[in-house]
Amino acid sequence: LDKPFIQIGIFSIEQNAENTATAMRRNGMVPTVMKQSSQGKTFWRVIVGPATSRSERAVLLEKIKGVGFEDAYPVTN
């Protein structure tokens, strides 16, 4: 897959990212919180994956949206 991960959100506050990751864990998913920076600003991305197939990715995306993260979308990493 060219985009095996699903990005749930980008957060400027680390605790908000951690809270989102906790919500994903409670729903049976394995999130990763990635600390990154761009143009001197630090942010935290929450992603789930990698999916191994299009169908697995579709199921993951549906599950994530069902938890309330309607803006989630596939990403490379």
Side-chain angles (χ1 to χ4, degrees):
L1 283 174
D2 58 333
K3 295 181 178 180
F5 295 90
I6 297 175
Q7 181 166 294
I8 294 154
I10 297 175
F11 302 88
S12 57
I13 298 170
E14 184 178 13
Q15 189 59 54
N16 293 345
E18 292 297 339
N19 292 346
T20 298
T22 297
M24 293 299 105
R25 284 187 202 97
R26 284 191 190 125
N27 285 279
M29 291 170 267
V30 182
T32 301
V33 177
M34 301 171 69
K35 182 178 179 179
Q36 298 180 309
S37 57
S38 177
Q39 300 175 345
K41 295 184 179 177
T42 300
F43 58 92
W44 291 264
R45 290 174 62 217
V46 181
I47 61 170
V48 171
T52 57
S53 67
R54 285 182 179 275
S55 60
E56 183 183 353
R57 184 177 66 192
V59 167
L60 260 179
L61 187 56
E62 188 175 315
K63 196 171 184 182
I64 291 165
K65 288 186 176 194
V67 175
F69 294 92
E70 292 291 327
D71 296 338
Y73 59 94
V75 294
T76 52
N77 65 9

